[in-house]
């Protein structure tokens, strides 16, 4: 499944908006974050935590404070065409709960959160593709060292392998998977239900 299938439409603020305006949007939309945009381009993220720690706890007047003063600069983004697993991995590695979603023109169009994808990621997967590197131990015996394990939710075995190879190459930033890995195994995952 792709990010575009799980994201929520973005509700944005500008850096010049007051914090009071941002708080009203958060409350009205029942959300916990707002991408901060200059036009359609992301410049940061404003979360309920930013407001609590950087403004409310300091006793600042939300009608006088701008979003720019409180927002987190340089919010991480993903693409609408990224696999959900890739977005989850980026959140995990960055210790974040939300990502801004960009279209192909790098315009903000949505937000995806860890809570959006937690249920999806906990579902059983029909295939796992395990990329490995062959290494020699001190006795000269070959062993397989796992480089990455990728779960694929849908499709045939061949489709799972193609999608896993693309994800491996994007994540590891290589032009071809065998530049890093010596091979891969495909494991059929059985559901316990």
């Amino acid at each position: 499944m792709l990010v575009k299938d799980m994201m929520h439409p973005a509700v944005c603020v500008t850096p010049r908006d007051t914090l009071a305006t941002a708080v009203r949007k958060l409350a009205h939309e029942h959300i916990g974050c707002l991408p901060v945009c200059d036009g359609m381009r992301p410049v940061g993220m404003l979360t309920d935590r930013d407001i609590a720690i950087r403004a409310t706890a300091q006793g600042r007047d939300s009608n006088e404070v701008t979003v720019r003063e409180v927002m987190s600069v340089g919010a991480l983004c993903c693409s609408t065409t990224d696999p959900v697993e890739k977005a989850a991995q980026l959140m995990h590695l960055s210790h974040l709960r939300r990502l801004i979603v960009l279209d192909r023109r790098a315009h903000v169009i949505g937000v995806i959160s860890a809570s959006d994808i937690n249920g999806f990621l906990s579902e059983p997967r029909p295939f796992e593709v395990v990329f490995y590197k062959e290494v020699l131990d001190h006795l000269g015996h070959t062993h397989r060292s796992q480089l990455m394990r990728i779960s694929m939710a849908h499709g045939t075995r061949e489709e799972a392998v193609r999608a896993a190879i693309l994800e491996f190459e994007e994540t590891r930033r290589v032009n071809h998977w065998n530049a890093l890995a010596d091979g891969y195994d495909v494991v059929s995952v059985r559901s316990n239900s």
Side-chain angles (χ1 to χ4, degrees):
M1 184 171 284
L2 301 178
V3 166
K4 68 181 178 181
D5 301 317
M6 297 193 113
M7 70 177 198
H8 297 281
V11 178
C12 300
V13 289
T14 72
R16 297 166 301 285
D17 285 334
T18 66
L19 201 54
T21 300
V23 169
R24 282 192 296 275
K25 283 188 179 186
L26 287 170
H28 182 261
E29 299 290 335
H30 305 289
I31 54 178
C33 72
L34 297 165
V36 182
C37 301
D38 185 6
M40 294 295 292
R41 303 281 181 191
V43 294
M45 178 81 87
L46 179 70
T47 67
D48 45 10
R49 186 173 193 276
D50 293 329
I51 295 167
I53 291 174
R54 296 187 185 139
T56 308
Q58 296 174 8
R60 299 177 74 187
D61 183 349
S62 63
N63 289 305
E64 295 177 10
V65 177
T66 64
V67 167
R68 180 186 319 275
E69 296 174 72
V70 180
M71 71 181 196
S72 297
V73 178
L76 287 180
C77 304
C78 63
S79 169
T80 56
T81 56
D82 285 339
V84 170
E85 292 87 353
K86 183 177 179 182
Q89 182 179 32
L90 181 57
M91 284 184 224
H92 175 74
L93 292 174
S94 305
H95 306 287
L96 295 173
R97 306 267 318 137
R98 302 168 181 108
L99 298 175
I100 295 174
V101 182
L102 305 177
D103 66 11
R104 58 183 170 74
R105 297 168 304 194
H107 292 170
V108 175
I109 62 165
V111 173
I112 189 163
S113 69
S115 60
D116 293 333
I117 58 180
N118 279 342
F120 170 76
L121 291 178
S122 64
E123 294 174 358
R125 305 288 183 243
F127 294 105
E128 286 188 332
V129 181
V130 182
F131 293 88
Y132 62 85
K133 185 84 174 162
E134 291 184 345
V135 295
L136 294 175
D137 65 14
H138 67 286
L139 297 174
H141 299 277
T142 303
H143 297 279
R144 290 184 176 179
S145 175
Q146 180 178 309
L147 297 175
M148 181 181 273
R149 177 181 293 264
I150 301 171
S151 298
M152 304 311 310
H154 304 288
T156 65
R157 183 181 195 278
E158 292 75 22
E159 291 169 337
V161 168
R162 280 196 301 272
I165 287 172
L166 283 174
E167 186 172 335
F168 181 86
E169 290 171 348
E170 286 179 14
T171 303
R172 297 299 178 121
R173 295 187 175 115
V174 293
N175 290 331
H176 198 272
W177 67 270
N178 64 7
L180 291 179
D182 291 324
Y184 59 83
D185 292 320
V186 181
V187 180
S188 180
V189 179
R190 296 188 191 274
S191 173
N192 291 334
S193 51

